[in-house]
Amino acid sequence: HQSRVLRRDDAGVSADDASNLRGRLLAVDYGDRRVGLALSDPLGMIATPLDAVVRRPGKRPPLAELVRRAEATGARGFVVGLPLDGAGEDTPRTLEAREVAAQLARRTGLPTYLVDERYTTAAALRAIREMGGTTRGRKGDVDAMAAAVLLRHALALSDAALDAASVQPAPATTPEPTPATPPSDARREHHPTG
């Protein structure tokens, strides 16, 4: 008798086939000072806060570190929080989050999804307070918890809704072509005859 796992549509799949489901996702709550991280279980059902990566002001996004974390945890995809405003409109950080998501997709080839992250930090702060905890000196924990809230939201989406949030990889940046050296004849000064 083989164990069965229920998918969202309540159709049973064998434990062997469960690896074909979404797999482990790494959530990225991209902030100005820290990047909160959370990880799902291999079946894509449970979101667990991991930790936070500190960002250096004025420096490029920590893409290499995010890729390293994905490799170390066996992530099979990314969920990147999209920082929209209260009305659902883009913010200055929205473009940066979109670019980070596109670069992660390009660098890893893994599925990458942009998911609305509005109110994730507020939900994380509320959850910590409800557990009797304090947030004093625990900003990284708050960011990781916010990433877990984001990931829980993403895991609750239908496959079609998650696919609609899929990010296309950013094009590889290529250096500008250098002009070809003109043939030696073209370098000679031209003097009109006449």
Side-chain angles (χ1 to χ4, degrees):
H1 177 255
Q2 199 174 33
S3 65
R4 307 283 285 165
V5 175
L6 289 180
R7 294 189 314 219
R8 286 184 216 305
D9 61 5
D10 292 330
V13 294
S14 70
D16 294 337
D17 292 334
S19 62
N20 294 330
L21 299 177
R22 288 185 183 161
R24 202 178 284 274
L25 295 174
L26 181 66
V28 177
D29 184 41
Y30 197 76
D32 290 328
R33 294 189 180 101
R34 286 169 304 284
V35 180
L37 302 175
L39 189 67
S40 74
D41 66 303
L43 296 177
M45 299 171 74
I46 300 169
T48 304
L50 281 181
D51 61 3
V53 175
V54 176
R55 290 190 58 196
R56 296 184 321 205
K59 300 294 182 182
R60 289 185 290 180
L63 292 169
E65 179 63 16
L66 297 176
V67 169
R68 189 187 73 69
R69 298 287 181 99
E71 290 169 350
T73 59
R76 292 179 54 187
F78 294 95
V79 172
V80 178
L82 191 60
L84 302 171
D85 68 14
E89 300 295 323
D90 283 0
T91 67
R93 283 193 320 134
T94 303
L95 291 176
E96 190 175 9
R98 289 183 194 280
E99 179 61 24
V100 165
Q103 289 294 332
L104 288 171
R106 185 185 67 75
R107 287 186 182 198
T108 65
L110 295 175
T112 303
Y113 311 98
L114 280 165
V115 176
D116 186 339
E117 71 167 24
R118 284 181 286 178
Y119 314 116
T120 56
T121 301
L125 289 167
R126 186 174 54 249
I128 290 170
R129 278 190 231 107
E130 286 173 359
M131 292 186 291
T134 179
T135 59
R136 182 175 293 238
R138 298 178 60 194
K139 291 179 180 172
D141 292 341
V142 172
D143 292 324
M145 181 71 84
V149 171
L150 169 69
L151 186 53
R152 276 195 292 277
H153 176 65
L155 295 174
L157 294 173
S158 68
D159 288 340
L162 196 59
D163 287 344
S166 185
V167 173
Q168 297 303 312
T173 54
T174 55
E176 289 294 316
T178 54
T181 306
S184 60
D185 296 354
R187 281 189 246 150
R188 285 192 217 133
E189 200 172 295
H190 179 68
H191 296 288
T193 58

